[in-house]
Amino acid sequence: MAFLLNCPNCGERNVHEFRFGGEATSRPTPNSTPDDWIRYFYNRGNVAGVQREWWNHRYGCRKWFFALRDTVSNQIQETLWP
Amino acid sequence: MFQIFAKNRMWRKQPLKHRYEVVIIGGGVHGLSTAYYLGKLGVTDVAVLDKGYLGGGASARTTAIIRSNYLTPEGIPFFNESVKLYEGLAKELNFNLLFNQMGRLDLGHTDSAVYGLRMRTEFNRILGVDSRLIGPKEIKKLVPSIDLREGKHFPILAALYHPPCGVIRHDAVVWGYGRGADRQGAELHPFTEVTGIDRTNGRVTGVETSQGLVKANTVISATAGWSSTIAKMVDLELPITTHALQAMVTEPLKPFLDKTISSANLHAYVYQTDRGEVVIGGGVDPYPSYSQRSTFQQMEELAANTLEMFPCLKNVNVLRQWAGLCDMTPDYAPILGPVDGIEGFILSCGWGSWGFKAAPVAGKRVAELIATGETPELIKPFSLSRFREGNLVNERAAAPAAAIH
């Protein structure tokens, strides 16, 4: 389902102007275990509900930002700068 | 002869017991085929649970193309066995599945795409799959309506011709497997949602459902689209994101196309059904979502890309459109088999856009795994531990491989 995304810089635009950049994850430190790296590389929360994710306004200001999106209804709760 | 008018139930309606040997979560084609093949191996104390009606999820939304012209030495034998099983399935289930092995052309529009197709062809031939590379002359003979003009944006240079590819009546496959499983003693329980999975000492002991607690020695997760949700019930995180794959159907036309046509560059595949409708599919939303609704953008793209191949469809109306949930894995291959550290929990997930065509072989081999306790060679490469070991399958010949990444 298509939806509108509120770019913190440009305002509400069609989702197809944006590039999805994946779930917000935190990069393991160099001292982390191999398990942490495997989790970081491959595993995803893939929540049926609200998740925090990266978006890039590809055909606009080209800025990266976070969005809190409900993956079931595709409703955006909030967009914010990282 | 009056028996053909008798109102026999396809499967019995039974009360949910408190204990089963095997509980299968998900009553789609995968869950039901697993139950069916378990019955054939003598494991009949089986319950299939589904939160909706049987075959109402991804099994109802598939475009039902059956093929084995994949790219990897792991994927090709796996899908080839599935095609073989599909060929004999109508007879085995005694149910007309309307399997039509029409053949398929995978189009190459650039030199690098043709190189990829040639590689696929050779891999297929070495592993005993009927595939060959053909040029525009033969393409024209097989598909007279295709636009072969030179100098256009996506010229058709060559195609991978895969004659065993077919299209099947997907609901019939679900019903056939359901009836077969029921006759062998398995119980089918639609509208029974699993809300939790119980464990003691790292062993699965049962499932909590909307109809009460059910004990079980083995629990299989066969829920396309909801695998991550089920896996979370045993504190497992999967390398899966859920995307919606979109498809649409045009109004019925006179027969003009008797092959499945697919183009990886155009992210689209097209075939004409026995009713004359043209099925167009292949668009995957680039962002994960559990919403099973189409987008105008994706349909517009699909339509434009289809016209690139078949300009003759330009004034044809679209009748229906839909979207189904696909559990995409990073290497476009399924996740099959047991999980280290959670005894009795078996995964049959990550079925992306290649799930329906694999239902018979996955059901058969997972059933074998449960009956014998040993993972069959054919599904060993698809274990969850491949991500830890770095043995990814990298099946780039899957439909949305080009679209998402």
Side-chain angles (χ1 to χ4, degrees), chain A residues 37-44, chain B residues 71-75 238-240 328-335 354 379-396 405:
Chain A
W37 282 100
I38 291 161
R39 218 170 289 138
Y40 173 69
F41 275 137
Y42 298 120
N43 291 2
R44 296 291 173 262
Chain B
L71 179 64
T72 60
E74 296 87 4
L238 293 176
I240 282 178
M328 304 303 299
T329 51
D331 58 353
Y332 304 102
I335 300 173
W354 46 88
I379 64 169
K380 265 190 186 154
F382 303 120
S383 69
L384 180 64
S385 60
R386 72 174 185 267
F387 296 98
R388 165 183 294 273
E389 291 151 8
N391 288 329
L392 270 67
V393 178
N394 199 15
E395 186 52 84
R396 277 171 299 156
H405 288 146

Side-chain angles (χ1 to χ4, degrees), chain B residues 65 67 69 104-109 117 120 146 158-160 259-271 281 309-310 397 399:
Chain B
I65 296 172
R67 67 183 173 101
N69 60 347
R104 169 184 173 104
L105 298 181
D106 280 275
L107 306 178
H109 304 287
L117 291 178
R120 255 168 90 179
I146 204 162
L160 192 172
K259 296 274 175 288
T260 306
I261 310 294
S262 165
S263 164
N265 288 121
L266 295 169
H267 305 166
Y269 52 83
V270 185
Y271 70 85
M309 298 183 267
F310 295 100

Side-chain angles (χ1 to χ4, degrees), chain A residues 1-3 14-16 18 20 23 35 38-39 41-49 51 53 55 58 69-74, chain B residues 225-226 228-229 232 237-242 246 285-291 293-298 327 330 387-388 390 392:
Chain A
M1 187 176 77
F3 52 94
N14 188 320
V15 64
H16 295 289
F18 298 86
F20 175 72
E23 283 172 28
D35 275 354
I38 291 161
R39 218 170 289 138
F41 275 137
Y42 298 120
N43 291 2
R44 296 291 173 262
N46 196 27
V47 190
Q51 73 174 11
E53 47 199 29
W55 286 86
R58 177 160 46 176
R69 180 175 64 108
D70 188 328
T71 55
V72 179
S73 63
N74 279 341
Chain B
W226 302 93
S228 297
T229 313
K232 266 175 213 137
E237 225 179 33
L238 293 176
I240 282 178
T241 49
T242 300
Q246 303 190 20
D285 289 339
Y287 45 87
S289 176
Y290 287 88
S291 160
R293 288 174 67 179
S294 312
T295 60
F296 182 69
Q297 169 98 9
Q298 198 61 265
D327 279 349
F387 296 98
R388 165 183 294 273
L392 270 67

